[in-house]
Coordinates of all heavy atoms in Angstrom, one line a residue:
M1 N -94.6 114.4 -9.9 CA -95.5 114.2 -11.1 C -96.9 113.9 -10.6 O -97.0 113.1 -9.7 CB -94.9 113.1 -12.0 CG -95.8 112.9 -13.2 SD -94.8 112.4 -14.6 CE -95.0 113.7 -15.7
R2 N -97.9 114.5 -11.2 CA -99.2 114.2 -10.8 C -99.8 113.0 -11.5 O -99.5 112.7 -12.7 CB -100.1 115.5 -11.1 CG -99.8 116.7 -10.4 CD -100.7 117.8 -10.8 NE -100.5 119.0 -10.0 CZ -101.1 120.1 -10.2 NH1 -102.0 120.2 -11.1 NH2 -100.9 121.1 -9.4
S3 N -100.8 112.5 -10.8 CA -101.5 111.4 -11.5 C -102.6 111.9 -12.4 O -102.9 113.1 -12.4 CB -102.1 110.4 -10.4 OG -103.2 111.1 -9.8
T4 N -103.2 111.1 -13.2 CA -104.3 111.5 -14.1 C -105.4 112.1 -13.3 O -106.0 113.2 -13.7 CB -104.7 110.4 -15.0 OG1 -103.6 109.8 -15.6 CG2 -105.7 110.8 -16.0
D5 N -105.8 111.5 -12.3 CA -106.9 112.0 -11.4 C -106.6 113.4 -10.9 O -107.5 114.3 -10.8 CB -107.3 111.1 -10.3 CG -107.9 109.8 -10.8 OD1 -108.5 109.8 -11.9 OD2 -107.8 108.8 -10.1
E6 N -105.4 113.6 -10.4 CA -105.0 114.9 -9.8 C -105.0 116.0 -10.9 O -105.4 117.1 -10.7 CB -103.6 114.8 -9.2 CG -103.6 114.0 -7.9 CD -102.2 113.8 -7.4 OE1 -101.2 113.8 -8.2 OE2 -102.0 113.5 -6.2
M7 N -104.5 115.6 -12.1 CA -104.5 116.6 -13.2 C -105.9 117.0 -13.6 O -106.3 118.1 -13.9 CB -103.7 116.1 -14.4 CG -102.2 116.1 -14.2 SD -101.2 115.7 -15.6 CE -101.8 114.2 -16.2
T8 N -106.8 116.0 -13.6 CA -108.2 116.2 -14.0 C -108.9 117.1 -13.0 O -109.6 118.1 -13.3 CB -109.0 114.9 -14.1 OG1 -108.4 114.0 -15.0 CG2 -110.4 115.1 -14.5
L9 N -108.6 116.9 -11.7 CA -109.2 117.7 -10.6 C -108.6 119.1 -10.7 O -109.4 120.1 -10.5 CB -108.9 117.1 -9.2 CG -109.7 115.9 -8.9 CD1 -109.2 115.3 -7.6 CD2 -111.2 116.2 -8.8
A10 N -107.3 119.3 -11.0 CA -106.7 120.6 -11.2 C -107.3 121.4 -12.3 O -107.6 122.6 -12.3 CB -105.2 120.5 -11.3
I11 N -107.6 120.7 -13.4 CA -108.2 121.3 -14.6 C -109.6 121.8 -14.3 O -110.0 122.9 -14.6 CB -108.2 120.3 -15.8 CG1 -106.7 120.1 -16.3 CG2 -109.1 120.8 -16.9 CD1 -106.6 119.0 -17.3
H12 N -110.3 120.9 -13.6 CA -111.7 121.3 -13.3 C -111.7 122.5 -12.3 O -112.6 123.4 -12.4 CB -112.5 120.1 -12.7 CG -112.9 119.1 -13.7 ND1 -113.8 119.3 -14.6 CD2 -112.4 117.8 -13.9 CE1 -114.0 118.2 -15.4 NE2 -113.1 117.3 -14.9
A13 N -110.8 122.5 -11.3 CA -110.7 123.6 -10.4 C -110.4 124.9 -11.1 O -110.9 126.0 -10.8 CB -109.7 123.3 -9.3
R14 N -109.4 124.8 -12.1 CA -109.0 126.0 -12.8 C -110.2 126.5 -13.7 O -110.5 127.7 -13.8 CB -107.8 125.7 -13.7 CG -107.4 126.8 -14.6 CD -106.7 127.9 -13.7 NE -106.3 129.0 -14.6 CZ -106.3 130.2 -14.4 NH1 -106.7 130.6 -13.2 NH2 -105.9 131.1 -15.2
A15 N -110.9 125.6 -14.3 CA -112.1 126.0 -15.1 C -113.2 126.6 -14.3 O -113.8 127.6 -14.7 CB -112.7 124.8 -15.9
K16 N -113.4 126.1 -13.1 CA -114.4 126.7 -12.2 C -113.9 128.1 -11.7 O -114.7 129.0 -11.7 CB -114.5 125.8 -11.0 CG -115.6 126.3 -10.0 CD -115.7 125.3 -8.8 CE -116.8 125.8 -7.9 NZ -117.0 124.8 -6.7
A17 N -112.6 128.3 -11.5 CA -112.1 129.6 -11.1 C -112.3 130.6 -12.2 O -112.7 131.7 -12.0 CB -110.7 129.5 -10.7
L18 N -112.0 130.1 -13.5 CA -112.2 131.0 -14.6 C -113.7 131.4 -14.8 O -114.0 132.6 -15.1 CB -111.7 130.4 -15.9 CG -110.1 130.2 -16.0 CD1 -109.7 129.4 -17.2 CD2 -109.5 131.6 -16.0
R19 N -114.6 130.4 -14.7 CA -116.0 130.7 -14.8 C -116.5 131.7 -13.7 O -117.2 132.6 -13.9 CB -116.8 129.4 -14.7 CG -116.9 128.7 -16.0 CD -117.9 127.6 -16.0 NE -117.8 126.7 -14.8 CZ -117.1 125.5 -14.9 NH1 -116.5 125.2 -16.0 NH2 -117.0 124.8 -13.8
R20 N -116.0 131.5 -12.5 CA -116.3 132.4 -11.4 C -115.8 133.8 -11.6 O -116.5 134.8 -11.3 CB -115.8 131.8 -10.1 CG -116.2 132.6 -8.9 CD -117.6 132.5 -8.6 NE -118.0 133.3 -7.4 CZ -119.2 133.8 -7.2 NH1 -120.2 133.5 -8.0 NH2 -119.4 134.5 -6.2
A21 N -114.6 133.9 -12.1 CA -114.0 135.3 -12.4 C -114.9 136.0 -13.5 O -115.2 137.2 -13.4 CB -112.6 135.1 -12.9
E22 N -115.3 135.2 -14.5 CA -116.1 135.8 -15.6 C -117.5 136.2 -15.0 O -118.0 137.3 -15.3 CB -116.4 134.8 -16.7 CG -117.3 135.2 -17.8 CD -116.7 136.4 -18.6 OE1 -115.5 136.6 -18.7 OE2 -117.5 137.2 -19.1
E23 N -118.0 135.4 -14.1 CA -119.3 135.7 -13.5 C -119.2 137.0 -12.6 O -120.1 137.8 -12.6 CB -119.8 134.5 -12.6 CG -121.2 134.7 -12.0 CD -121.6 133.5 -11.3 OE1 -121.4 132.4 -11.8 OE2 -122.2 133.7 -10.2
N24 N -118.1 137.1 -11.9 CA -117.8 138.3 -11.1 C -117.7 139.6 -12.0 O -118.2 140.6 -11.6 CB -116.6 138.1 -10.2 CG -116.8 137.2 -9.1 OD1 -118.0 136.9 -8.7 ND2 -115.8 136.7 -8.5
R25 N -117.1 139.4 -13.1 CA -117.0 140.6 -14.0 C -118.4 141.0 -14.5 O -118.7 142.2 -14.6 CB -116.1 140.2 -15.2 CG -114.6 140.4 -14.9 CD -113.8 140.3 -16.2 NE -113.8 139.0 -16.8 CZ -113.0 138.0 -16.6 NH1 -112.1 138.1 -15.6 NH2 -113.1 136.9 -17.2
R26 N -119.2 140.0 -14.9 CA -120.6 140.3 -15.3 C -121.4 140.9 -14.2 O -122.2 141.9 -14.5 CB -121.3 139.0 -15.8 CG -120.8 138.6 -17.2 CD -121.6 137.4 -17.6 NE -121.1 136.9 -18.9 CZ -121.3 135.7 -19.4 NH1 -122.1 134.9 -18.7 NH2 -120.8 135.4 -20.5
I27 N -121.3 140.4 -13.0 CA -122.0 141.0 -11.9 C -121.6 142.5 -11.7 O -122.4 143.3 -11.5 CB -121.8 140.2 -10.6 CG1 -122.5 138.8 -10.8 CG2 -122.3 140.9 -9.4 CD1 -122.2 137.8 -9.7
A28 N -120.3 142.7 -11.7 CA -119.8 144.1 -11.6 C -120.3 145.0 -12.7 O -120.7 146.1 -12.4 CB -118.3 144.1 -11.5
L29 N -120.3 144.5 -13.9 CA -120.8 145.3 -15.1 C -122.3 145.6 -14.9 O -122.7 146.7 -15.1 CB -120.5 144.5 -16.4 CG -121.0 145.2 -17.6 CD1 -120.2 146.5 -17.9 CD2 -120.9 144.3 -18.8
L30 N -123.1 144.6 -14.6 CA -124.5 144.8 -14.5 C -124.8 145.7 -13.2 O -125.8 146.4 -13.3 CB -125.2 143.4 -14.4 CG -125.2 142.6 -15.7 CD1 -125.9 141.2 -15.4 CD2 -126.0 143.4 -16.8
G31 N -124.1 145.5 -12.2 CA -124.3 146.4 -11.0 C -124.0 147.8 -11.3 O -124.7 148.7 -10.9
G32 N -122.9 148.1 -12.1 CA -122.6 149.4 -12.5 C -123.6 150.0 -13.5 O -124.0 151.1 -13.4
A33 N -124.1 149.1 -14.4 CA -125.2 149.6 -15.3 C -126.4 149.9 -14.5 O -127.1 150.9 -14.8 CB -125.5 148.5 -16.3
G34 N -126.8 149.1 -13.5 CA -128.0 149.3 -12.7 C -127.8 150.6 -11.9 O -128.8 151.4 -11.8
T35 N -126.6 150.9 -11.4 CA -126.4 152.1 -10.7 C -126.5 153.3 -11.6 O -127.1 154.3 -11.2 CB -125.0 152.1 -10.0 OG1 -125.0 151.0 -9.1 CG2 -124.7 153.3 -9.2
A36 N -125.9 153.2 -12.8 CA -126.0 154.3 -13.7 C -127.4 154.6 -14.2 O -127.8 155.7 -14.3 CB -125.1 154.0 -15.0
L37 N -128.2 153.5 -14.4 CA -129.6 153.7 -14.7 C -130.4 154.3 -13.6 O -131.3 155.2 -13.8 CB -130.2 152.4 -15.2 CG -129.7 151.8 -16.5 CD1 -130.3 150.4 -16.7 CD2 -130.1 152.7 -17.6
G38 N -130.1 153.9 -12.4 CA -130.8 154.5 -11.2 C -130.5 156.0 -11.1 O -131.4 156.8 -10.8
L39 N -129.2 156.3 -11.3 CA -128.8 157.8 -11.2 C -129.5 158.6 -12.4 O -129.9 159.7 -12.2 CB -127.3 157.9 -11.2 CG -126.6 157.4 -10.0 CD1 -125.1 157.4 -10.2 CD2 -127.0 158.2 -8.7
T40 N -129.5 157.9 -13.5 CA -130.2 158.6 -14.7 C -131.7 158.8 -14.4 O -132.2 159.9 -14.7 CB -130.0 157.8 -15.9 OG1 -128.6 157.6 -16.2 CG2 -130.6 158.4 -17.1
L41 N -132.3 157.8 -13.8 CA -133.7 158.0 -13.4 C -133.9 159.1 -12.4 O -134.8 159.9 -12.6 CB -134.2 156.7 -12.8 CG -135.7 156.6 -12.4 CD1 -136.6 156.9 -13.6 CD2 -136.0 155.3 -11.7
V42 N -133.1 159.2 -11.4 CA -133.2 160.3 -10.5 C -133.0 161.6 -11.1 O -133.7 162.6 -10.9 CB -132.2 160.1 -9.3 CG1 -132.1 161.3 -8.4 CG2 -132.6 158.9 -8.5
A43 N -132.0 161.7 -12.1 CA -131.7 163.0 -12.8 C -132.9 163.3 -13.7 O -133.3 164.5 -13.7 CB -130.4 162.8 -13.6
L44 N -133.5 162.4 -14.3 CA -134.7 162.6 -15.2 C -135.8 163.1 -14.4 O -136.5 164.1 -14.8 CB -135.1 161.4 -16.0 CG -134.2 161.1 -17.2 CD1 -134.6 159.7 -17.8 CD2 -134.4 162.2 -18.2
I45 N -136.1 162.5 -13.2 CA -137.2 162.9 -12.4 C -136.9 164.4 -11.9 O -137.8 165.2 -11.9 CB -137.4 162.0 -11.2 CG1 -138.0 160.7 -11.7 CG2 -138.3 162.6 -10.1 CD1 -138.0 159.6 -10.7
G46 N -135.7 164.6 -11.5 CA -135.3 166.0 -11.0 C -135.4 167.0 -12.1 O -135.9 168.1 -11.9
A47 N -135.0 166.7 -13.3 CA -135.0 167.6 -14.4 C -136.4 167.8 -15.1 O -136.7 168.9 -15.5 CB -134.0 167.2 -15.5
L48 N -137.2 166.8 -15.1 CA -138.4 166.9 -15.8 C -139.6 166.9 -14.9 O -140.8 166.9 -15.3 CB -138.6 165.7 -16.8 CG -137.5 165.5 -17.8 CD1 -137.6 164.3 -18.6 CD2 -137.4 166.8 -18.7
G49 N -139.4 166.9 -13.6 CA -140.5 166.8 -12.6 C -141.4 168.0 -12.7 O -142.6 168.0 -12.3
G50 N -140.9 169.2 -13.1 CA -141.7 170.4 -13.1 C -142.4 170.7 -14.4 O -142.9 171.8 -14.6
L51 N -142.5 169.8 -15.3 CA -143.1 170.0 -16.6 C -144.6 170.2 -16.4 O -145.3 169.6 -15.6 CB -142.9 168.9 -17.6 CG -141.5 168.6 -18.1 CD1 -141.5 167.4 -19.0 CD2 -141.0 169.9 -18.8
Q52 N -145.2 171.2 -17.1 CA -146.6 171.5 -17.0 C -147.3 171.1 -18.3 O -146.7 171.2 -19.3 CB -146.8 173.0 -16.7 CG -146.1 173.5 -15.5 CD -146.6 173.0 -14.2 OE1 -147.9 172.8 -14.1 NE2 -145.8 172.6 -13.2
H53 N -148.5 170.8 -18.2 CA -149.3 170.5 -19.4 C -150.7 171.1 -19.2 O -151.1 171.3 -18.1 CB -149.3 169.0 -19.7 CG -150.2 168.2 -18.8 ND1 -149.8 167.8 -17.5 CD2 -151.5 167.8 -18.9 CE1 -150.7 167.1 -17.0 NE2 -151.8 167.1 -17.7
R54 N -151.4 171.2 -20.3 CA -152.8 171.7 -20.2 C -153.7 170.6 -20.8 O -153.3 170.0 -21.8 CB -152.9 173.0 -21.0 CG -152.0 174.1 -20.5 CD -152.2 175.3 -21.4 NE -151.1 176.2 -21.2 CZ -151.3 177.4 -20.6 NH1 -152.5 177.8 -20.2 NH2 -150.3 178.2 -20.3
A55 N -154.8 170.5 -20.2 CA -155.8 169.5 -20.7 C -156.5 170.1 -21.9 O -156.9 171.2 -21.9 CB -156.8 169.2 -19.6
T56 N -156.6 169.3 -22.9 CA -157.3 169.7 -24.1 C -158.5 168.8 -24.3 O -158.6 167.7 -23.7 CB -156.4 169.6 -25.4 OG1 -156.0 168.2 -25.5 CG2 -155.1 170.4 -25.2
T57 N -159.4 169.2 -25.2 CA -160.6 168.5 -25.4 C -160.5 167.7 -26.7 O -161.5 167.1 -27.1 CB -161.8 169.4 -25.4 OG1 -161.6 170.4 -26.4 CG2 -162.0 170.1 -24.1
A58 N -159.4 167.7 -27.4 CA -159.3 167.0 -28.7 C -158.7 165.6 -28.6 O -157.7 165.3 -29.2 CB -158.5 167.9 -29.6
G59 N -159.3 164.7 -27.8 CA -158.9 163.4 -27.7 C -157.8 163.0 -26.7 O -157.3 161.9 -26.6
Y60 N -157.5 164.0 -25.8 CA -156.5 163.8 -24.8 C -157.1 163.9 -23.4 O -156.5 164.4 -22.5 CB -155.3 164.8 -24.9 CG -154.6 164.7 -26.3 CD1 -154.8 165.6 -27.2 CD2 -153.7 163.6 -26.5 CE1 -154.1 165.5 -28.4 CE2 -153.1 163.5 -27.7 CZ -153.3 164.4 -28.7 OH -152.6 164.3 -29.8
E61 N -158.3 163.3 -23.2 CA -159.0 163.5 -22.0 C -158.2 162.8 -20.8 O -158.3 163.2 -19.7 CB -160.4 163.0 -22.1 CG -161.3 163.8 -22.9 CD -161.2 163.4 -24.4 OE1 -160.6 162.4 -24.7 OE2 -161.7 164.2 -25.2
G62 N -157.6 161.7 -21.1 CA -156.8 160.9 -20.1 C -155.7 161.7 -19.5 O -155.4 161.5 -18.3
A63 N -155.1 162.6 -20.2 CA -154.0 163.4 -19.7 C -154.5 164.4 -18.6 O -153.7 164.8 -17.7 CB -153.4 164.2 -20.8
S64 N -155.8 164.7 -18.6 CA -156.3 165.6 -17.6 C -156.5 164.9 -16.2 O -156.7 165.6 -15.2 CB -157.6 166.3 -18.0 OG -158.6 165.3 -18.1
L65 N -156.4 163.6 -16.2 CA -156.5 162.9 -14.9 C -155.2 162.9 -14.1 O -155.2 162.6 -13.0 CB -156.9 161.5 -15.2 CG -158.3 161.3 -15.9 CD1 -158.5 159.8 -16.2 CD2 -159.4 161.8 -15.0
V66 N -154.1 163.3 -14.8 CA -152.8 163.3 -14.2 C -152.5 164.7 -13.7 O -152.8 165.7 -14.3 CB -151.7 162.9 -15.2 CG1 -150.3 162.9 -14.6 CG2 -152.0 161.5 -15.7
A67 N -151.9 164.9 -12.5 CA -151.6 166.2 -12.0 C -150.6 166.9 -12.9 O -149.8 166.3 -13.6 CB -151.0 166.1 -10.6
D68 N -150.7 168.2 -12.9 CA -149.9 169.0 -13.8 C -148.4 168.8 -13.6 O -147.6 168.9 -14.5 CB -150.2 170.5 -13.6 CG -151.5 170.9 -14.2 OD1 -152.0 170.1 -15.1 OD2 -152.1 171.9 -13.8
S69 N -148.0 168.6 -12.3 CA -146.5 168.5 -12.0 C -146.0 167.1 -12.2 O -144.8 166.8 -11.8 CB -146.3 169.0 -10.6 OG -146.9 168.2 -9.7
S70 N -146.8 166.1 -12.6 CA -146.3 164.7 -12.7 C -145.8 164.3 -14.0 O -145.5 163.1 -14.2 CB -147.4 163.8 -12.2 OG -148.5 163.8 -13.0
G71 N -145.7 165.1 -15.0 CA -145.3 164.7 -16.3 C -143.9 164.1 -16.4 O -143.7 163.1 -17.1
G72 N -143.0 164.7 -15.6 CA -141.6 164.2 -15.6 C -141.5 162.8 -15.0 O -140.8 161.9 -15.4
Y73 N -142.4 162.6 -13.9 CA -142.4 161.3 -13.3 C -142.9 160.2 -14.3 O -142.4 159.1 -14.3 CB -143.3 161.3 -12.0 CG -142.7 162.2 -10.9 CD1 -143.2 163.4 -10.6 CD2 -141.6 161.7 -10.2 CE1 -142.7 164.2 -9.6 CE2 -141.1 162.5 -9.1 CZ -141.7 163.7 -8.9 OH -141.2 164.5 -7.9
V74 N -143.9 160.6 -15.0 CA -144.5 159.6 -16.0 C -143.5 159.3 -17.0 O -143.2 158.1 -17.4 CB -145.8 160.1 -16.6 CG1 -146.3 159.2 -17.7 CG2 -146.9 160.3 -15.5
L75 N -142.8 160.3 -17.6 CA -141.8 160.1 -18.6 C -140.6 159.2 -18.1 O -140.2 158.3 -18.7 CB -141.3 161.4 -19.1 CG -140.2 161.4 -20.2 CD1 -140.7 160.7 -21.4 CD2 -139.7 162.7 -20.5
A76 N -140.2 159.5 -16.9 CA -139.1 158.8 -16.3 C -139.5 157.3 -16.0 O -138.7 156.4 -16.2 CB -138.6 159.4 -15.0
A77 N -140.7 157.1 -15.6 CA -141.2 155.8 -15.4 C -141.3 155.0 -16.7 O -140.9 153.8 -16.7 CB -142.6 155.8 -14.7
V78 N -141.8 155.6 -17.7 CA -141.9 154.9 -19.0 C -140.5 154.6 -19.5 O -140.2 153.5 -20.0 CB -142.7 155.8 -20.0 CG1 -142.5 155.2 -21.4 CG2 -144.1 155.9 -19.6
A79 N -139.6 155.5 -19.4 CA -138.2 155.3 -19.9 C -137.5 154.2 -19.0 O -136.9 153.3 -19.6 CB -137.4 156.6 -19.7
A80 N -137.7 154.2 -17.7 CA -137.2 153.1 -16.9 C -137.8 151.8 -17.2 O -137.1 150.7 -17.2 CB -137.4 153.5 -15.4
F81 N -139.0 151.7 -17.5 CA -139.7 150.4 -17.9 C -139.1 149.9 -19.2 O -138.8 148.7 -19.3 CB -141.2 150.6 -18.0 CG -141.9 149.4 -18.5 CD1 -142.1 148.4 -17.6 CD2 -142.3 149.3 -19.8 CE1 -142.8 147.2 -18.0 CE2 -143.0 148.1 -20.2 CZ -143.2 147.1 -19.3
M82 N -138.9 150.8 -20.1 CA -138.4 150.4 -21.4 C -136.9 149.8 -21.2 O -136.6 148.8 -21.8 CB -138.4 151.5 -22.4 CG -139.8 151.9 -22.8 SD -139.9 153.4 -23.8 CE -139.1 152.9 -25.3
V83 N -136.1 150.5 -20.5 CA -134.8 150.1 -20.2 C -134.8 148.7 -19.5 O -134.0 147.8 -19.8 CB -133.9 151.1 -19.5 CG1 -132.6 150.6 -19.0 CG2 -133.7 152.4 -20.3
G84 N -135.7 148.6 -18.5 CA -135.8 147.3 -17.8 C -136.2 146.2 -18.7 O -135.6 145.1 -18.5
V85 N -137.0 146.4 -19.6 CA -137.4 145.3 -20.6 C -136.2 145.0 -21.4 O -135.9 143.8 -21.7 CB -138.6 145.8 -21.5 CG1 -138.8 144.8 -22.6 CG2 -139.9 145.9 -20.6
I86 N -135.5 146.0 -21.9 CA -134.3 145.7 -22.7 C -133.3 144.9 -21.9 O -132.7 143.9 -22.4 CB -133.7 147.0 -23.3 CG1 -134.7 147.6 -24.3 CG2 -132.4 146.8 -23.9 CD1 -134.4 149.0 -24.7
V87 N -133.0 145.3 -20.7 CA -132.0 144.6 -19.9 C -132.5 143.2 -19.6 O -131.7 142.2 -19.7 CB -131.7 145.4 -18.6 CG1 -131.0 144.5 -17.6 CG2 -131.0 146.7 -18.8
T88 N -133.7 143.0 -19.4 CA -134.3 141.6 -19.1 C -134.1 140.7 -20.3 O -133.7 139.6 -20.2 CB -135.8 141.7 -18.7 OG1 -135.9 142.5 -17.6 CG2 -136.3 140.3 -18.5
V89 N -134.4 141.3 -21.5 CA -134.3 140.5 -22.8 C -132.8 140.1 -23.0 O -132.5 139.0 -23.3 CB -134.8 141.3 -24.0 CG1 -134.4 140.6 -25.3 CG2 -136.3 141.4 -23.9
I90 N -131.9 141.1 -22.7 CA -130.5 140.8 -22.9 C -130.0 139.7 -21.9 O -129.3 138.8 -22.3 CB -129.6 142.1 -22.7 CG1 -129.9 143.0 -23.9 CG2 -128.2 141.8 -22.6 CD1 -129.3 144.4 -23.8
C91 N -130.4 139.8 -20.7 CA -130.1 138.8 -19.7 C -130.6 137.4 -20.0 O -129.9 136.4 -19.9 CB -130.6 139.2 -18.3 SG -129.7 140.6 -17.6
L92 N -131.8 137.4 -20.5 CA -132.4 136.1 -20.9 C -131.7 135.5 -22.1 O -131.4 134.3 -22.1 CB -133.9 136.2 -21.2 CG -134.8 136.5 -20.0 CD1 -136.2 136.7 -20.5 CD2 -134.7 135.3 -19.0
R93 N -131.3 136.3 -23.0 CA -130.5 135.8 -24.2 C -129.2 135.3 -23.8 O -128.7 134.3 -24.3 CB -130.5 136.9 -25.3 CG -131.8 137.1 -26.0 CD -131.7 137.9 -27.2 NE -133.0 138.0 -27.8 CZ -133.3 138.9 -28.7 NH1 -132.3 139.7 -29.2 NH2 -134.5 139.0 -29.2
L94 N -128.5 136.0 -22.9 CA -127.2 135.6 -22.4 C -127.3 134.3 -21.7 O -126.4 133.4 -21.8 CB -126.5 136.7 -21.5 CG -126.0 137.9 -22.2 CD1 -125.5 138.9 -21.2 CD2 -124.8 137.5 -23.1
K95 N -128.3 134.1 -20.9 CA -128.5 132.9 -20.1 C -128.8 131.7 -21.0 O -128.2 130.7 -20.9 CB -129.7 133.1 -19.1 CG -130.0 131.9 -18.2 CD -131.1 132.2 -17.3 CE -131.4 131.0 -16.4 NZ -132.5 131.3 -15.5
E96 N -129.6 132.0 -22.1 CA -129.9 130.9 -23.0 C -128.6 130.5 -23.8 O -128.4 129.4 -24.1 CB -131.0 131.4 -24.0 CG -131.4 130.3 -25.0 CD -132.1 129.1 -24.3 OE1 -132.7 129.3 -23.2 OE2 -132.0 128.0 -24.8
K97 N -127.8 131.6 -24.2 CA -126.6 131.3 -24.9 C -125.6 130.5 -24.0 O -124.9 129.6 -24.6 CB -125.9 132.7 -25.3 CG -124.7 132.5 -26.1 CD -124.2 133.9 -26.4 CE -122.8 133.8 -27.2 NZ -122.3 135.1 -27.5
N98 N -125.5 130.8 -22.7 CA -124.6 130.1 -21.9 C -125.0 128.6 -21.7 O -124.2 127.8 -21.3 CB -124.5 130.8 -20.5 CG -123.7 132.0 -20.6 OD1 -122.9 132.2 -21.5 ND2 -124.0 133.0 -19.7
R99 N -126.3 128.3 -21.8 CA -126.8 127.0 -21.6 C -126.3 126.1 -22.8 O -126.1 124.9 -22.6 CB -128.3 126.9 -21.6 CG -128.9 127.3 -20.3 CD -130.4 127.1 -20.3 NE -131.0 127.6 -19.0 CZ -132.2 127.7 -18.8 NH1 -133.1 127.4 -19.7 NH2 -132.7 128.2 -17.7
K100 N -126.2 126.7 -24.0 CA -125.8 125.9 -25.2 C -124.4 125.6 -25.2 O -123.5 125.8 -24.6 CB -126.2 126.7 -26.4 CG -127.7 126.8 -26.6 CD -128.1 127.5 -27.9 CE -129.6 127.5 -28.0 NZ -130.0 128.2 -29.2

């Protein structure tokens, strides 16, 4: 039969192991999501890298400063930035939730 101190230590060890297992699952999930987003980014750059545009004079002068073949890169960069912001907000909210 265990003493009260031994049971308390065993409970704390089990709780720590459960928290670590949950953390490992989250790390694996976020790592998989990061890999999927990276592959999506590469696919978008490959698929949209050859988009062409024409410079117009009706208020779109800034677009003429970008090379004709870089439209896909810009679109992929904007999409990656937006996804990064969303992932960051989700991570911060989960961290705040775990503190409470």
Side-chain angles (χ1 to χ4, degrees):
M1 179 150 246
R2 293 182 178 179
S3 70
T4 305
D5 290 336
E6 290 173 337
M7 287 191 302
T8 303
L9 289 174
I11 290 171
H12 285 291
R14 178 70 177 144
K16 183 178 180 180
L18 289 173
R19 280 193 304 269
R20 183 67 181 158
E22 178 65 26
E23 185 177 318
N24 285 341
R25 280 192 293 272
R26 284 185 184 162
I27 289 171
L29 178 67
L30 291 174
T35 301
L37 289 173
L39 292 174
T40 303
L41 179 61
V42 169
L44 281 173
I45 289 173
L48 303 175
L51 293 179
Q52 302 293 321
H53 73 278
R54 298 175 195 252
T56 62
T57 59
Y60 298 106
E61 291 85 10
S64 65
L65 299 175
V66 179
D68 287 339
S69 63
S70 64
Y73 292 105
V74 173
L75 178 63
V78 170
F81 177 77
M82 292 172 67
V83 170
V85 169
I86 291 168
V87 169
T88 301
V89 169
I90 290 170
C91 289
L92 289 175
R93 287 191 181 169
L94 286 174
K95 184 177 179 181
E96 186 65 31
K97 183 179 176 183
N98 287 337
R99 283 186 185 171
K100 292 182 180 179

